[in-house]
């Protein structure tokens, strides 16, 4: 998936979650999250506390 495709899907996800004029579609939200979840860079892991 290209960076542009990811940006488009994230923009659609943002609209679904935040636009009061857009009807919430949980299936579409989860679908978009599933599509982009494997494409986003993973955040660095924090060091374990006390170790």
């Amino acid at each position: 998936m290209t960076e542009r495709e990811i940006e488009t899907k994230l923009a659609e996800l943002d609209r679904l979650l935040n636009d009061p004029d857009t009807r919430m579609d949980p299936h579409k939200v989860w679908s978009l999250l599933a599509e982009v979840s494997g494409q986003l860079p993973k955040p660095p892991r924090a060091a374990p506390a006390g170790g």
Side-chain angles (χ1 to χ4, degrees), residues 10 26 32 36:
L10 290 174
L32 287 166
V36 298

Side-chain angles (χ1 to χ4, degrees), residues 11-31:
E12 183 176 358
L13 182 61
D14 182 63
R15 182 183 58 79
L16 286 168
L17 294 173
N18 297 309
D19 184 352
D21 296 328
T22 300
R23 183 174 169 268
M24 173 61 79
D25 181 353
H27 177 74
K28 185 67 174 174
V29 170
W30 284 111
S31 177

